[in-house]
Amino acid sequence: MADNTLYEILGVTRGASDSEIKKSYHKLAKEYHPDKNADHGDKFKEISFAYEVLSTPEKRETYDRYGLQGLKEGGGGGGGFPGDMFGDIFGGLFGGMGGGFGGMGGPFGGMGGMGGRRRGPRRGEDTFHQLRVTLEDLYNGKTSKLQLKKTVICKKCHGQGGKAGAMQTCQSCRGRGVKVTMRQIGPGMMQQLQSVCPSCHGEGETINDKDRCKECKGKKVSDETKILEVHVDKGMKDGQKIPFRGEGDQMPNVEAGDVIIVLEAKEHDTFERKGNDLTCSYTIGLTEALCGFNFTVKQLDGRDLVIKSPPGKVIKPGDVKVVYGEGMPMYRNPYEKGNLFIKFDVKFPENSFAVEGNLKKLEKLLPPRPKIEIPVGEDVEEVNLTDIDPTRGGASNSNAYDEDSDDDNDGQGPRVQCAHQ
């Protein structure tokens, strides 16, 4: 069952937006601030903690996947909370399981108070890998196996590089891993240069060749192939991150970082995704546009959607119609879906597609022409309407129609459009 504790503390739903969470937090923080009532101190800590988790995308992702227990066990992405906050709040939310977060035992331990610096092992860098997925994968969900190479603590020497006591502090850099040199760049001006120690290669320690571990050659780590099962949930999006906590490269005295899988969605031949909606285009003929049609669209789960339009329902070029509930499933709520929008193009028949007699019959079926009164007199002249010849320059070029800028009007007054009566 999903853990909604932090959402309930802030009084919002699980699908609340960032702005809703922020608005609720400010309201509750103002109400329960200790400056107003000292008895509200614990409640204010809970509210602050809930907001810290839910307003940070990575921590919210972890909490939504693994709940409070996942945060307690170090799934929160490397800390970022004061130790006393974890001790107090987890003690309440977990029913007395908060011990170890305030001290140095847990992954969040050793952090004194607000603004206190974290003691203990430093945290390694996160590793990012892209996983290409199709729109079908994001619609239906998918489990992929991803093979990765990572460094792990050498199992033979347990990360010591050799037998016990063989590793010695580098005498060249005195264990700092870097060498500092000074050089003169001008009269009375010196420049300090810092470079990786060539003796220990930045490790700060050295070991004799004869004492090195035969397995890792004194490097303390070895390479290992890891296969991760990546669960792509229904409704996930392009660029969404799937974290694997603590699966990053291992180093002695360093807390392993995370492996973060970033989804990369391929373009689809039929559909384009916009949020939770799907869009596509479809071309129909003039007969279908006027007299109705049936056609099928292959949905991303393999179903054939029969799209119908009744006779007499006119579809104009550029019309957009919707099929409700046939868009993408919503992330973490896959039974709810967005909508499918279809934009129609209408293909008109070629010139002289019917003889004159049939055209007259067709005209009787169509709405009547608008009545146009043709003026008479010496100032009336008939002209020919022809297709544009791209080889001819000047005003006959199609660009003359497309370019509709007032800057080209030379102050001769507003442009005039064709009038319809």
Side-chain angles (χ1 to χ4, degrees), residues 42-342:
D42 291 341
K43 179 68 174 177
F44 183 74
K45 283 184 179 180
E46 288 186 3
I47 294 168
S48 300
F49 175 77
Y51 178 67
E52 172 67 20
V53 173
L54 300 183
S55 64
T56 306
E58 273 196 17
K59 292 170 185 172
R60 184 178 182 181
E61 175 93 13
T62 300
Y63 173 68
D64 286 345
R65 273 180 171 268
Y66 308 109
L68 288 168
Q69 186 67 32
L71 293 175
K72 176 181 180 293
E73 292 176 353
F81 299 102
D84 57 350
M85 182 182 287
F86 262 96
D88 295 343
I89 295 176
F90 270 86
L93 298 180
F94 278 110
M97 296 174 63
F101 284 93
M104 294 180 64
F108 301 101
M111 302 179 68
M114 282 289 189
R117 296 185 62 185
R118 175 177 175 163
R119 297 188 294 272
R122 64 182 176 88
R123 187 174 183 276
E125 293 184 358
D126 295 335
T127 306
F128 293 83
H129 295 275
Q130 285 189 325
L131 176 64
R132 296 202 74 190
V133 291
T134 63
L135 195 57
E136 285 86 353
D137 296 334
L138 299 176
Y139 186 96
N140 299 298
K142 179 184 180 182
T143 297
S144 296
K145 290 187 176 181
L146 200 61
Q147 181 174 302
L148 306 174
K149 278 191 174 182
K150 59 182 287 188
T151 59
V152 296
I153 301 295
C154 178
K155 294 179 175 62
K156 186 171 184 179
C157 67
H158 305 290
Q160 297 186 54
K163 62 183 181 180
M167 194 69 68
Q168 302 292 326
T169 300
C170 176
Q171 298 301 312
S172 179
C173 66
R174 298 182 181 179
R176 291 178 296 182
V178 294
K179 293 196 71 175
V180 178
T181 57
M182 305 292 291
R183 75 171 184 177
Q184 186 171 354
I185 58 175
M189 299 175 64
M190 302 295 291
Q191 183 182 33
Q192 178 176 295
L193 300 176
Q194 183 172 295
S195 59
V196 175
C197 176
S199 301
C200 66
H201 305 290
E203 296 293 329
E205 297 176 312
T206 58
I207 187 173
N208 294 327
D209 289 343
K210 62 183 182 66
D211 296 326
R212 294 180 185 273
C213 171
K214 305 301 182 185
E215 184 72 23
C216 66
K217 306 295 189 295
K219 296 180 180 178
K220 305 180 183 180
V221 294
S222 56
D223 293 331
E224 179 181 272
T225 299
K226 178 81 173 184
I227 296 179
L228 297 178
E229 280 198 356
V230 184
H231 298 284
V232 180
D233 295 336
K234 294 181 180 181
M236 282 187 163
K237 298 179 180 180
D238 179 44
Q240 189 160 347
K241 298 175 183 177
I242 303 175
F244 287 82
R245 305 302 178 188
E247 290 290 352
D249 291 332
Q250 298 178 5
M251 289 290 292
N253 301 318
V254 176
E255 180 187 340
D258 303 331
V259 170
I260 299 177
I261 308 300
V262 183
L263 300 182
E264 181 185 0
K266 303 176 185 176
E267 289 189 4
H268 196 268
D269 292 337
T270 302
F271 299 111
E272 181 181 353
R273 182 179 184 176
K274 294 184 178 180
N276 290 321
D277 296 326
L278 292 173
T279 66
C280 68
S281 297
Y282 194 81
T283 301
I284 58 177
L286 183 58
T287 304
E288 296 169 295
L290 299 177
C291 304
F293 57 78
N294 290 339
F295 68 89
T296 59
V297 173
K298 182 72 73 174
Q299 183 55 287
L300 295 169
D301 57 2
R303 290 177 297 131
D304 287 314
L305 304 180
V306 180
I307 311 297
K308 292 184 176 182
S309 181
K313 176 86 172 177
V314 176
I315 302 295
K316 299 183 292 296
D319 273 358
V320 178
K321 304 297 180 181
V322 61
V323 181
Y324 290 106
E326 284 297 343
M328 292 293 293
M330 296 184 182
Y331 180 50
R332 292 206 178 94
N333 189 18
Y335 296 105
E336 294 290 331
K337 294 181 181 178
N339 303 314
L340 169 61
F341 292 89
I342 303 176

